[in-house]
Amino acid sequence: MSEGFHDKIRAFIVETFLFGDDSEPLPGDLSLLENDLVDSTGVLELVGFLEADFGLAVDDADIVPANLDTVDRIAAFVERKKAA
Amino acid sequence: MFLRILRRERTAAGAPALAAYLDELFGAAAGRDGEIVSRVHVGRDGRPNGFLGVLPQTMQLDGERLRAAICTTWMVDDHQADPFAGARLLKAVLAGPQDLAFSETSNHLSTAMWRRTGARVLAPYSLEYLRVIRPASFVLRMAANRFAPLGAAAPLAQLADRMAAPGGKRLSWAGYRPHAGKSDALTASTPDEDELARAIRELLAHHALHPHWSEAQLARMLAHSRVKAKHGQRVLRILRTRGGRLAGLFVYYGSRGGIARVMQVMAAPGMEGAVLERLLADAHDGGLAAIRGRTQPALLDAMLDRKFAFLHASSTVFHSARADLVAAATEGRAFLNGLSGESWTRLVGDRFV
């Protein structure tokens, strides 16, 4: 299931923050913040995606790098939220 | 943080007075809802490093009472250290129990963040209008805003405006001179705040979505709006037909030779042009160089007819899960900005010393 999350999240990030350009790999542990892929604006778009596509309720306290800074962390966050 | 981030002031001399005002505005019983509240962001070191002020407001759409969150004073200190702090603040506010949330003065970055939450940017509410009355005085005032000593040349600019006026075109974007017309049939009076409040309530009814102010709340807001030291003296006018029917009102701040800030213009349907004519004539008689303010859809047509110029400084953004509320806002049927926003507060245009 987690792999499915990864693919969907990665596809969203490529489409939204990389203008659909998937010519370069997007490692699961690549920091989206440090690589300027996601900023304070982008993170709200990411949250909107997680809420709409995974049916999650993301609280303001959830919006931290520990949950949303890499594809791996986002996938783990989705998994935790789904399991809760 | 407010003085440094939002006003770019180098000294914190006004901080105590400002803190007392923020406490009164956001913390006093009159400004609290209990559930729709302002948010403070606390950094990892335990110190406050962000704030999003919320003014709770009861509104109504076609008679249905609604809860609104008017968002203002959004700031984050050291954005680099915590890049998600602003997002957390907005998310926290928008998770509240309100039916709608909006902000009157959203800057470029804030607007981008609001958009990502599904908010709509209301273009017809987001333009700053400018109407030049005396072109030489206007140019001088703009220059003096950058280099204060130029203000000493004001008498020369006034002389140039007086010499240019008789030969000027009646309708020109670069100047204004009064002329006889239909609007002369309206009588203008300077109301006290109670009379102004009654007129505001009466004119509000022409907007489908509008605030539902208690008498005490509107009185408090008008009291807050008395002084805007940066903008000049407050001017209140109510306009009536000869038969005594309410045609409109306006509230602006200005001083001779300066650029007036219009806080509110309201007009009965069909009276928009006449009300604007009287606003321009009033500003002209008061020796003002120009007027500027925030657009409202109901006034746009009449402004275009009168050579107003438009530019963009900040945006009105609107968020609601209800399609009927979004439709009322995007279709221009809402009364937003000015009194239905944050412009009445001392945060806009006043000094704290």
Side-chain angles (χ1 to χ4, degrees), chain B residues 1-61:
Chain B
M1 194 159 47
F2 179 96
L3 293 172
R4 190 161 30 84
I5 296 173
L6 296 182
R7 293 215 166 168
R8 295 187 173 85
E9 291 184 11
R10 290 177 188 166
T11 69
L18 173 65
Y21 185 69
L22 291 173
D23 202 36
E24 179 190 349
L25 187 65
F26 296 114
R32 292 176 75 168
D33 169 281
E35 292 182 307
I36 300 174
V37 291
S38 301
R39 299 285 176 163
V40 174
H41 191 276
V42 179
R44 279 188 285 269
D45 60 1
R47 294 173 52 199
N49 64 353
F51 180 70
L52 177 48
V54 175
L55 299 168
Q57 177 63 55
T58 303
M59 296 188 74
Q60 62 183 62
L61 175 68

Side-chain angles (χ1 to χ4, degrees), chain B residues 106-301:
Chain B
S106 179
N107 65 21
H108 180 70
L109 176 60
S110 305
T111 300
M113 293 174 72
W114 276 90
R115 279 186 197 274
R116 299 308 188 278
T117 67
R120 302 289 289 267
V121 179
L122 306 179
Y125 294 88
S126 300
L127 295 170
E128 196 88 4
Y129 62 78
L130 175 71
R131 182 62 167 90
V132 176
I133 310 274
R134 293 177 169 84
S137 297
F138 170 70
V139 171
L140 182 71
R141 174 51 52 194
M142 294 296 287
N145 286 345
R146 299 269 177 181
F147 186 59
L150 287 173
L156 279 178
Q158 288 161 11
L159 180 65
D161 285 326
R162 276 200 298 276
M163 290 173 67
K169 286 193 293 183
R170 190 174 77 85
L171 254 183
S172 163
W173 66 268
Y176 170 84
R177 62 190 174 102
H179 54 274
K182 266 170 51 178
S183 66
D184 293 337
L186 299 178
T187 57
S189 63
T190 301
D192 61 22
E193 288 179 357
D194 288 342
E195 188 186 353
L196 182 69
R198 285 193 295 276
I200 289 168
R201 287 170 185 287
E202 188 176 330
L203 292 168
L204 261 189
H206 301 301
H207 301 264
L209 175 61
H210 61 77
H212 180 87
W213 290 307
S214 68
E215 279 185 28
Q217 187 187 14
L218 191 50
R220 172 179 176 255
M221 290 166 59
L222 292 176
H224 276 249
S225 76
R226 282 175 194 153
V227 180
K228 292 188 183 294
K230 289 181 170 181
H231 295 167
Q233 195 75 23
R234 187 177 72 168
V235 175
L236 311 177
R237 297 281 186 267
I238 285 181
L239 301 166
R240 295 187 184 277
T241 64
R242 285 178 179 163
R245 190 162 54 86
L246 182 62
L249 60 85
F250 48 83
V251 179
Y252 70 81
Y253 301 82
S255 51
R256 184 166 284 275
I259 300 170
R261 303 297 183 110
V262 182
M263 196 261 280
Q264 195 73 69
V265 182
M266 298 178 77
M271 303 299 282
E272 296 87 355
V275 171
L276 288 175
E277 285 291 347
R278 294 303 293 264
L279 169 62
L280 289 169
D282 202 278
H284 179 273
D285 293 349
L288 293 162
I291 61 169
R292 61 178 287 190
R294 199 62 176 271
T295 53
Q296 294 217 9
L299 301 171
L300 270 177
D301 275 1

